[in-house]
Structures are given as C-alpha cells and as structure tokens.
C-alpha cells in the first residue's frame, strides 16, 4: 500500500475512505520539523494531504518519494512552489467550493464589528443591561456605506455580491487586474490602493498571501483610512503588519477592526487585539462550516488520488500562474 501523510485537518469520512486504499498516517499537533514518527513516514510518503503544513526545502529534502501535496484550503502560502516545481511534485488546493462560506464569514465579521454584536452580547449576558441603552452603545450602519475590497478574486466577488444586492453599498476595489464584469454587475469602481483606503467606510482585505502582498497594509495604509473606518481581514494574518493595526486602533487612526486571521496562529492570549472592545476576533474559521470543510476534504482527496494515480488533479496549481501572482498584488 502506498504511503500517505494526513496532516492537521482531514474530515473523518474522507480520512476513513483514504485509509481503505492507502497506508495513511495522520498527524496533529506535532512539530513537523522534529517529530521522529512524522519524519520516518515522510521519507516513504508519496502523498500528503492536509492543512498548513510548511512544505519547504527542508521538508522536501526528507521526502524523496513525494508525488503530490494536497492542501485542504484554498490558500497555499505554506508551499514553496519553486522547490516543488524543481522536484516535479504536484501541488493542489481547494478553490471554488468555499467561496460563499468565506464571504459569509467576512460579511458576518463586518456586521458584527460595525454593530458591536459580540461586545453587546457580553453586555447583556453579564447582566449589565439594567436600563435603556444610551448612545455610547450604538453601532454604525453598514447599508449604503462604501466598502473597499482589496483582492477581487472569487471571494472578493462574493463579498461584493452581498454588499451590492443585500446592503446597497457602494463598492470600490483594488486588485492585480481590473474586472469589467464585476464593475458592471456590482457597480464596483476600480481604485488605486490609496484611493480605496481614503474613500472607504469599510476596508476588507481578501487577497492571497504572496511575497508581494506580505505586510501590504501597515502604518501608512491605516493612516490613510478614515478615522471612522473599519478594517476587516479575511485573508492571512501576514498580509498586514499586526503591530501597526494594534497601534492604529490604540491611536484612534481607525475606529474598529474585525479579523479572522493573525500573524501567528493560534495567536498569543496576550495579543492586545484580544483585549480591545472595538475588535472582533475569530480563530481563522473563514471556511469552517461542517458542510464546506467536508467538501474541502473531499476535493483535496480527489486531488491527492488523481496525482498518486498518474492523472492530472483538477486543482493543480500551475507554477506559471503562480509566478504571475508575484508580479503585483
Ligand atoms: C482558508 O483560509 C483557506 O485558505 O482555505
């Protein structure tokens, strides 16, 4: 039986199905750089399926039989694609099926932040609601405001759809390429990053993490935002400079932030973002519904099996396309 490593997250029915066909070793909460069992199996593994495993030069040096790495995620910033390409190892992700789920999460955080839902939930549950609320408890409107979307891929477009049809928002967007069909369908206006930051009531970051987008939102960008502006990060923690977000919130450069992702995950319990009233924080659950996680595991398994059996996986990451991504955000 061919050896497969499953890492961190593969839904149970999918894992059980793979176990019938392959010699699957499942690892969770280990250090993949040092765990002796992991390294032993890695040496013979032909396939890897899972979430967030850093597939870098060092790992690949220990994986001489590897044919395919299959992410259970749309993001693939954990892959060193140059190294994979050099070794002719296939890399895959799970795009498409999670688009609406992530867009729902991002919109949920946006509304929760603007209307202070978690904060007021605590207020009620703590028994503090002992008289009619005052203006200090009011939130701000979402509908008819201006939403700036940075990154207009599938998920950006699904956010635009919700904003335009559901909330009558004006949409400005910034992305690598202009999208005339998006401009027409959602009445979205293309803008430079700086224009978007200065015009938007809500700035929503949903771009993939690449060397070019790493740290793209920092001190200068937060300063360009409106003081009443709300920043939402649904991409990756490292697309922003987290300390600069903390400073911008502390200094009143922006009004509030909602984040699903952190520079380091899990984030430290003493991260100042967790102590602020004007932040909404989630533990990277953009795509994490029962339905979507199962579909992602199934798609990742399909990709894995295709690759192991000499076929072309449906979601093969084309290194040429990826190289294009490096030419700008
Ligand atoms: C989630 O963050 C994903 O990349 O699928």
């Amino acid at each position: 039986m061919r050896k497969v490593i499953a890492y961190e997250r593969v839904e149970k029915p999918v894992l059980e199905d793979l176990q019938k066909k392959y010699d699957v070793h499942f690892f969770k909460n280990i250090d993949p750089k040092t765990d002796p069992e992991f390294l032993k199996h890695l040496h013979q593994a032909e396939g890897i399926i899972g979430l967030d495993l850093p597939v870098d030069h060092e790992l690949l040096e220990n994986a001489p039989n590897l044919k395919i790495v299959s992410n259970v995620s749309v993001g693939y910033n954990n892959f060193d694609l140059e190294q994979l390409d050099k070794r002719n190892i296939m890399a895959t992700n799970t795009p498409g099926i999670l688009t609406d789920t992530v867009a729902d999460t991002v919109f949920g955080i946006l509304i929760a932040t603007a209307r202070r839902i978690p904060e007021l939930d605590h207020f009620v549950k703590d028994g503090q609601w002992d008289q009619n609320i005052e203006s200090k408890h009011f939130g701000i409107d979402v509908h008819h405001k201006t939403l700036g979307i940075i990154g207009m891929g599938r998920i950006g477009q699904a956010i635009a759809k919700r904003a335009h049809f559901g909330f009558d928002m004006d949409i400005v967007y910034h992305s690598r390429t202009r999208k005339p069909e998006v401009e027409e369908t959602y009445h979205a206006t293309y803008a430079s990053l700086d224009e978007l930051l200065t015009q938007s009531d809500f700035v929503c970051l949903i771009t993939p993490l690449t060397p070019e987008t790493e740290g793209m939102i920092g001190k200068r960008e937060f300063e360009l935002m409106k003081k009443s502006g709300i920043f939402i990060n649904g991409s990756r923690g490292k697309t922003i400079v987290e300390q600069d977000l903390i400073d911008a919130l502390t200094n009143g450069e922006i009004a509030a932030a909602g984040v699903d992702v952190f520079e380091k995950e899990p984030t430290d319990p003493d991260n100042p973002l967790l102590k602020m009233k004007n932040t909404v924080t989630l533990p990277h659950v953009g795509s994490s519904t029962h339905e979507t996680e199962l579909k992602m595991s199934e798609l990742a398994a399909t990709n894995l099996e295709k690759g192991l059996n000499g076929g072309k996986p449906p979601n093969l990451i084309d290194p040429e396309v990826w190289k294009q991504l490096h030419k700008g955000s």
Side-chain angles (χ1 to χ4, degrees):
M1 259 189 176
R2 279 175 293 164
K3 197 179 285 277
V4 165
I5 285 183
Y7 184 77
E8 282 293 330
R9 195 185 298 158
V10 181
E11 288 299 287
K12 200 161 169 240
V14 176
L15 191 60
E16 285 171 356
D17 185 53
L18 288 174
Q19 278 162 341
K20 289 182 196 139
K21 301 182 251 179
Y22 306 94
D23 177 21
V24 181
H25 296 263
F26 181 59
F27 293 90
K28 200 172 165 54
N29 299 328
I30 53 128
D31 181 353
K33 301 253 181 251
T34 56
D35 188 272
E37 270 297 287
F38 175 85
L39 292 171
K40 184 180 98 193
H41 292 298
L42 179 65
H43 206 78
Q44 294 135 15
E46 291 182 45
I48 298 177
I49 178 169
L51 178 75
D52 275 350
L53 176 67
V55 180
D56 52 13
H57 176 74
E58 192 183 331
L59 180 135
L60 294 171
E61 284 292 292
N62 288 313
N65 295 303
L66 198 59
K67 291 192 172 70
I68 177 161
V69 277
S70 170
N71 257 7
V72 187
S73 65
V74 66
Y76 50 83
N77 47 286
N78 57 317
F79 291 160
D80 184 334
L81 284 166
E82 241 165 61
Q83 289 294 330
L84 285 161
D85 194 27
K86 230 184 244 172
R87 294 167 155 86
N88 271 326
I89 298 171
M90 289 175 274
T92 62
N93 65 339
T94 58
I97 45 175
L98 46 63
T99 301
D100 283 316
T101 301
V102 178
D104 285 351
T105 309
V106 168
F107 230 88
I109 306 175
L110 191 154
I111 297 172
T113 311
R115 300 300 303 271
R116 303 167 60 184
I117 290 173
E119 181 193 344
L120 295 174
D121 172 64
H122 284 130
F123 173 80
V124 177
K125 288 178 181 165
D126 282 354
Q128 293 182 52
W129 187 27
D130 50 9
Q131 52 185 301
N132 281 339
I133 60 148
E134 300 164 27
S135 59
K136 67 177 182 194
H137 300 116
F138 294 173
I140 65 150
D141 277 334
V142 172
H143 63 86
H144 294 96
K145 292 285 179 67
T146 299
L147 172 63
I149 302 175
I150 303 168
M152 197 43 105
R154 289 187 186 88
I155 300 171
Q157 291 175 41
I159 294 167
K161 181 179 175 184
R162 284 154 179 74
H164 176 66
F165 292 115
F167 292 82
D168 293 305
M169 296 179 92
D170 290 327
I171 297 162
V172 289
Y173 77 101
H174 180 75
S175 67
R176 266 181 316 126
T177 50
R178 274 186 80 150
K179 309 259 160 82
E181 67 291 354
V182 171
E183 294 177 21
E184 194 174 325
T185 312
Y186 307 121
H187 299 185
T189 310
Y190 184 82
S192 69
L193 180 61
D194 288 5
E195 282 166 353
L196 180 150
L197 293 165
T198 50
Q199 288 169 14
S200 302
D201 299 304
F202 298 90
V203 171
C204 174
L205 184 62
I206 195 72
T207 185
L209 174 63
T210 67
E212 283 67 34
T213 63
E214 186 165 346
M216 72 180 284
I217 305 294
K219 184 173 168 16
R220 189 189 81 86
E221 289 70 29
F222 290 122
E223 279 171 6
L224 283 174
M225 281 180 63
K226 294 181 182 180
K227 291 214 184 308
S228 58
I230 291 184
F231 177 75
I232 306 294
N233 191 3
S235 65
R236 285 290 184 269
K238 287 189 175 150
T239 50
I240 74 164
V241 181
E242 197 167 278
Q243 185 57 50
D244 291 353
L245 173 62
I246 294 165
D247 293 344
L249 288 162
T250 309
N251 303 334
E253 293 293 346
I254 64 171
V259 296
D260 182 37
V261 287
F262 290 84
E263 210 163 82
K264 171 173 166 277
E265 294 180 0
T267 192
D268 289 328
D270 57 2
N271 184 334
L273 289 175
L274 312 188
K275 311 279 185 276
M276 296 176 178
K277 278 200 164 168
N278 55 346
T279 59
V280 172
T281 56
L282 287 181
H284 198 153
V285 288
S287 54
S288 298
T289 61
H290 289 294
E291 299 91 331
T292 296
E293 284 288 353
L294 182 60
K295 283 188 207 150
M296 287 162 72
S297 284
E298 285 168 351
L299 185 53
T302 303
N303 284 323
L304 174 84
E305 292 203 69
K306 270 273 182 227
L308 286 176
N309 296 310
K312 185 176 175 211
N315 304 110
L316 187 62
I317 298 162
D318 180 346
E320 288 313 313
V321 172
W322 170 76
K323 279 173 203 156
Q324 287 302 317
L325 271 182
H326 284 231
K327 298 204 171 129
S329 65

